[in-house]
Amino acid sequence: MGKQSSAWITMQKKKRWQLMILVLFTLSTAMLFFIRSTANSCNTSSITTKTTTTATHFNSDEEKASNPLNFMKSKLVLLVSHELSLSGGPLLLMELAFLLRGVGAEVVWITNQKPNEPDEVIYSLEHKMLDRGVQVLSAKGEKAINTALNADLVVLNTAVAGKWLDGVLKDKVSQVLPKVLWWIHEMRGHYFKLEYVKHLPFVAGAMIDSYTTAEYWKNRTRERLG
């Protein structure tokens, strides 16, 4: 058991720096996204179309040159969402998918929970991702398992997405945990089940939406694991 724990720690340290860059960039990008949306809505009619086009082109080239995500070019990233809907968690993960595609990463999307009946929202969102070069896979099967094993980074979106680990990977979970970034949004008590938190100490990194929530998760995880 001691040797296994040492192996976890060593593997986690190798991944931690790159994952933390991704965490910081994701948060800053979300802020910039809303700032730009506000700025675009405030454009005045005194700015000519030609000037606006030139400025946009310049900013685009500048952003590409200084993009902190450039190190993810040609990397394979698996994004696992517990659902696909118009709610905050899935939409934030989709935004990350498009940012990664923008720097040349290979991005694969998996939705762990999907209704049995056809869903118009899911159909629309999946095709939006496909149009942007994001691959969409079934949550189960050999292809999903092989993608997780070969991925450079696996992002679990929300605590509930943790069900996918044991449910699909089974005895291969230990091979994937050292490259998992767990993006947790929930903080209500019923999410602190052992099936979720038992893997949390062994992932490469966890991104939680606030310091208060992060402290809550840390304390509750300790309680659950004894």
Side-chain angles (χ1 to χ4, degrees), residues 78-85 90 93 109-116 122 126 136-141 144 155-169 195-196:
L78 175 61
L79 306 179
V80 182
S81 186
H82 78 282
E83 67 175 11
L84 184 52
S85 66
L93 193 64
W109 178 284
I110 281 176
T111 303
N112 192 41
Q113 299 174 1
K114 295 175 72 172
N116 295 324
I122 292 176
E126 284 186 344
V136 178
L137 292 184
S138 169
K140 300 178 181 179
V155 180
L156 296 180
N157 192 40
T158 73
V160 183
K163 288 182 178 180
W164 180 81
L165 292 171
D166 290 318
V168 175
L169 297 179
E195 63 181 311
Y196 302 147

Side-chain angles (χ1 to χ4, degrees), residues 42-53 55:
C42 296
N43 285 337
T44 63
S45 57
S46 61
I47 302 176
T48 65
T49 302
K50 183 177 180 181
T51 303
T52 303
T53 303

Side-chain angles (χ1 to χ4, degrees), residues 12 38 55 68 70 92 94 101 108 119 132 153 161 170 187 194 204 211 213:
Q12 288 171 24
T38 304
N70 281 333
L92 285 171
M94 282 182 62
R101 284 295 300 143
V108 179
D119 185 283
R132 300 280 290 272
L153 174 67
K170 302 184 187 306
M187 71 172 292
L194 186 60
Y211 288 112
T213 309

Side-chain angles (χ1 to χ4, degrees), residues 1 6 8 33 35 43-44 50 86 88 93 95 99 121 141 161-162 178 185 193 199 210 217-218 220 223:
M1 185 67 181
S6 298
W8 285 124
F33 176 77
I35 291 171
N43 285 337
T44 63
K50 183 177 180 181
L86 295 174
L93 193 64
E95 181 69 20
L99 291 169
V121 171
H185 307 275
K193 296 178 180 178
H199 294 306
S210 73
W217 265 95
K218 184 171 68 174
R220 291 302 299 272
E223 290 174 10

Side-chain angles (χ1 to χ4, degrees), residues 4 8 112 139-142 144-146 148-149 161-177 195 198-199:
Q4 186 179 16
W8 285 124
N112 192 41
K140 300 178 181 179
E142 286 300 316
I145 295 172
N146 290 336
L149 292 173
K163 288 182 178 180
W164 180 81
L165 292 171
D166 290 318
V168 175
L169 297 179
K170 302 184 187 306
D171 60 335
K172 296 182 172 64
V173 171
S174 61
Q175 299 177 52
V176 177
L177 288 178
E195 63 181 311
K198 69 179 181 180
H199 294 306

